[in-house]
Amino acid sequence: MNKDLLFALIQNPYLIPGIYNYCDGWCERCSFTGNCLNYKMMEEGVPDLDVSNTDASFAMDNLDEMFQLSMELLKQAAKDLGMEMPEQDEDFDVEEEEKKDDLIFKGQIMKQADKYSELVDQWFAEFEALLFIGSISLKELLDYKDEGEMSEIEKTVFNSYEIIRWYQFIIPSKLFRSLRSKTNTEETGNEFYKHDSIASGKVALLSIDESIKAWTCFMQKFPETEDRMLPLLLILSGLRTIVEKVFPESRDFIRPGFDI
């Protein structure tokens, strides 16, 4: 990937500016990959990182260039919104910034999000092999993965599983980004941080919504484990309530492409 190729990709009239900034990263399920510059860049610019096929130093150089190009895109996106990307202060204190991160991780929102993620792993470790959909166990279904031969019920369960597992880590990561940008907004007053905080909060909320739907589906299919699913749903429900209070503008944020 180089600037010439990047600028050639940008000429695509079907691209939706900034659509990649506030998505859930699930490209396999996204209907907007043809409109996403970031996806096109990944297609064209990310090398095969298998060292048997690719020189490692070339791969790292390529990824470094991708990072630089991504930063240029982010700065351009900010300008398109009438904002300026904040530059790193010459007095940037890494240790001080790490302390701020640590405070966020110790806060109620991140504790709840991380606890949820841990409980998801525990739940599947305990129940994966014990639950059955007809004559096939949940574990066998997940190992099977041939959706073309699954029944509709199996497809529903498999889909719910994929949703839970995907958003299990998206939720805490998006919440951290939202909280970090909120802290930066309070310190600097920079509008870009405020924008990023609200938008990231929306992605987190949508991820929580989808996870609740998926767990509700599991509860209907496996009522014998309802008592062990309820704590997960309670954490998600409580987390959603807190996030909506902390980021009251997030629900109404309009993400490019997805919400218009």
Side-chain angles (χ1 to χ4, degrees), residues 164-199:
I164 290 167
R165 284 305 207 179
W166 184 265
Y167 292 120
Q168 172 186 1
F169 300 108
I170 292 293
I171 292 169
S173 68
K174 292 299 181 181
L175 286 175
F176 176 80
R177 175 171 170 174
S178 188
L179 290 164
R180 193 62 170 91
S181 288
K182 185 174 187 297
T183 297
N184 291 339
T185 303
E186 293 167 353
E187 291 180 352
T188 68
N190 188 285
E191 283 297 312
F192 177 81
Y193 284 134
K194 181 180 180 181
H195 174 90
D196 187 72
S197 178
I198 294 170

Side-chain angles (χ1 to χ4, degrees), residues 174-237:
K174 292 299 181 181
L175 286 175
F176 176 80
R177 175 171 170 174
S178 188
L179 290 164
R180 193 62 170 91
S181 288
K182 185 174 187 297
T183 297
N184 291 339
T185 303
E186 293 167 353
E187 291 180 352
T188 68
N190 188 285
E191 283 297 312
F192 177 81
Y193 284 134
K194 181 180 180 181
H195 174 90
D196 187 72
S197 178
I198 294 170
S200 298
K202 176 158 188 175
V203 180
L205 285 169
L206 293 176
S207 301
I208 292 171
D209 293 342
E210 290 302 310
S211 298
I212 288 175
K213 290 178 186 177
W215 278 114
T216 300
C217 174
F218 260 40
M219 189 176 289
Q220 293 170 347
K221 302 301 179 187
F222 309 114
E224 64 272 26
T225 65
E226 180 176 327
D227 60 331
R228 292 299 300 273
M229 289 188 207
L230 282 175
L232 290 156
L233 282 166
L234 287 173
I235 288 177
L236 285 175
S237 180

